[in-house]
């Protein structure tokens, strides 16, 4: 994508918030911000504008490494295109120590530009009217002290999720209560969760560990029982695509009597445990009929449209007659909800610790998670046809760093963090493909699992996501 861009803003890892604030300052200073949207459909703008003043192009350059002129050029291009602008962060920014506030700062650009729910801007999808399959109202869990809900209440409020990294701590410590068993489906945490050694230690400590999968993964190899899981070809699934407001139903292609589909597995377990009333449907088809019941759609109608059925035409600027899904019902440049929890009212920028508190023993910065074509997390490396797409695990280095280390492509290096060490072949990139002082390791390789050296307990304070994309490391040529 960077190769196709008109302007590629290559910044130091974890400094996205500083860049976003710098762009915000330029937009505000230009006087062409969308006052109609700000005045009528937002809160917190005045405080936001005051805080933005400090992010001059010179300060942003010092923080991010991005030339001041390039920031100004990017702001001018964005303003020229507004409101047909989409600020999309992907799924990388949350794996930083200040990820949520960085994402908040980026999102605020939409409010300044009036590109919220506009044609060509950041469209806000409408739901298909499906019934909710959660039990959050019937069986609220907060009184049962879900793991991590006290430390990361926002994560629990929004996702009703426990905190995975703290779950590993709980298994090993029995605090705040014992966690002795686990049924895991559709995941391979030994390969994808941070601090792999602790994950393995915790899963081995469980009294009962059951995994449903259709591969012997690094995680299922630790299980007491491995149960065969169905593939997407063996079940009929509803799929919603909000960007196009389409809903589809994939047909079941094949089935094997000895393998339950996902719903029937959980239904059978629920009935044996005495909570079968929450799983009353006798088949996956009955369940899908119930989910669709309020939408005005039927399974037959969806099967007749294999390309997807548009459940509603797209309409824009819905905030004019419908409140946004925020506590205030408006676009929030600042959040009273977060302030009530003791977090920053504004999406304040806090530099990553490799900038604010560098450790001389770990002079380089590692990012992880860059995607490689045909691979997704740990998947598809076990097919002979796709296994050859990438030679294998590798650490990407800037040529100047490689020269300083005496390393050439193919040489084995040791990458060390506070968590552990990893031996991995090096690949020397072209000078513009990676910043000096930064290395990148793609995750998902069991031969060189980058999560042996990623942090599980250095977390964003708001959502608790772990630090995985600005890890201080040391790189040495393997002797």
């Amino acid at each position: 994508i960077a190769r196709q861009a008109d302007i590629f803003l290559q910044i130091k890892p974890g400094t996205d918030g500083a860049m976003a604030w710098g762009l915000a300052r330029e937009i505000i200073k230009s006087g062409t911000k969308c006052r109609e949207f700000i005045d009528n459909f937002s809160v917190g703008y005045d405080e936001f504008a005051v805080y933005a003043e400090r992010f001059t192009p010179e300060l942003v350059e010092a923080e991010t490494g991005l030339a001041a002129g390039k920031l100004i050029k990017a702001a001018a291009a964005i303003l020229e295109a507004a409101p047909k602008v989409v600020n999309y962060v992907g799924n990388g920014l949350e794996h930083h120590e200040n990820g949520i506030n960085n994402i908040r700062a980026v999102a605020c650009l939409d409010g300044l530009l009036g590109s919220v729910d506009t044609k060509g801007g950041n469209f806000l999808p409408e739901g298909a009217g499906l019934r909710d399959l959660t039990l959050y109202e019937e069986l609220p869990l907060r009184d049962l002290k879900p793991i991590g809900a006290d430390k990361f209440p926002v994560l629990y409020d929004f996702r009703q999720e426990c905190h995975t990294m703290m779950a590993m701590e709980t298994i090993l410590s029995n605090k705040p209560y014992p966690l002795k068993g686990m049924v895991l489906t559709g995941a391979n945490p030994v390969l994808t969760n941070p601090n792999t050694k602790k994950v393995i230690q915790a899963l081995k400590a469980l009294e009962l560990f059951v995994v449903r999968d259709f591969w012997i993964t690094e995680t299922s190899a630790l299980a007491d029982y491995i149960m065969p899981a169905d593939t997407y070809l063996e079940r009929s699934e509803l799929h919603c695509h909000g960007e196009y407001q389409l809903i589809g139903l994939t047909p079941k292609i094949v089935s094997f009597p000895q393998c339950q589909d996902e719903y029937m597995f959980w239904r059978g377990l629920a009935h044996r445990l005495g909570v079968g009333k929450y799983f009353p449907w006798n088949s996956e088809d009955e369940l899908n009929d119930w989910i669709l019941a309020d939408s005005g759609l039927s399974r037959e109608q969806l099967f007749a449209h294999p390309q997807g059925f548009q459940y509603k035409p797209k309409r824009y600027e819905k905030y004019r007659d419908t409140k946004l899904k925020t506590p205030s019902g408006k676009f929030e440049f600042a959040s009273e909800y977060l302030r009530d929890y003791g977090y920053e009212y504004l999406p304040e920028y806090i530099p990553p610790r490799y900038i604010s508190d560098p450790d001389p023993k770990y002079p380089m910065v590692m990012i992880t998670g860059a995607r490689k074509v045909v691979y997704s997390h740990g998947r598809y490396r076990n097919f002979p046809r796709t296994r050859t797409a990438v030679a294998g695990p590798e650490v990407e280095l800037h040529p100047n760093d490689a020269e300083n280390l005496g390393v050439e492509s193919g040489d084995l290096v040791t990458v060390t963090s506070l968590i552990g060490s990893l031996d991995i072949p090096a690949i020397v990139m072209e000078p513009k493909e990676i910043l000096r002082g930064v290395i990148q390791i793609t995750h998902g390789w069991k031969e060189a699992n980058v999560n042996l050296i990623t942090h599980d307990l250095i977390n964003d304070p708001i959502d608790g996501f772990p630090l995985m994309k600005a890890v201080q490391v040391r790189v040495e040529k393997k002797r």
Side-chain angles (χ1 to χ4, degrees), residues 316-332:
Y316 301 95
E317 299 186 8
K318 297 181 286 294
Y319 54 79
R320 294 186 180 277
D321 53 45
T322 306
K323 290 183 177 181
L324 293 174
K325 294 179 180 178
T326 62
S328 66
K330 295 185 175 185
F331 186 93
E332 298 191 352

Side-chain angles (χ1 to χ4, degrees), residues 23-33 79 109 112-113:
L23 290 170
R25 181 183 183 274
E26 293 300 307
I27 293 167
I28 293 168
K29 191 179 72 168
S30 72
T32 54
K33 56 194 176 296
L79 281 164
L109 298 177
L112 295 177
L113 299 164

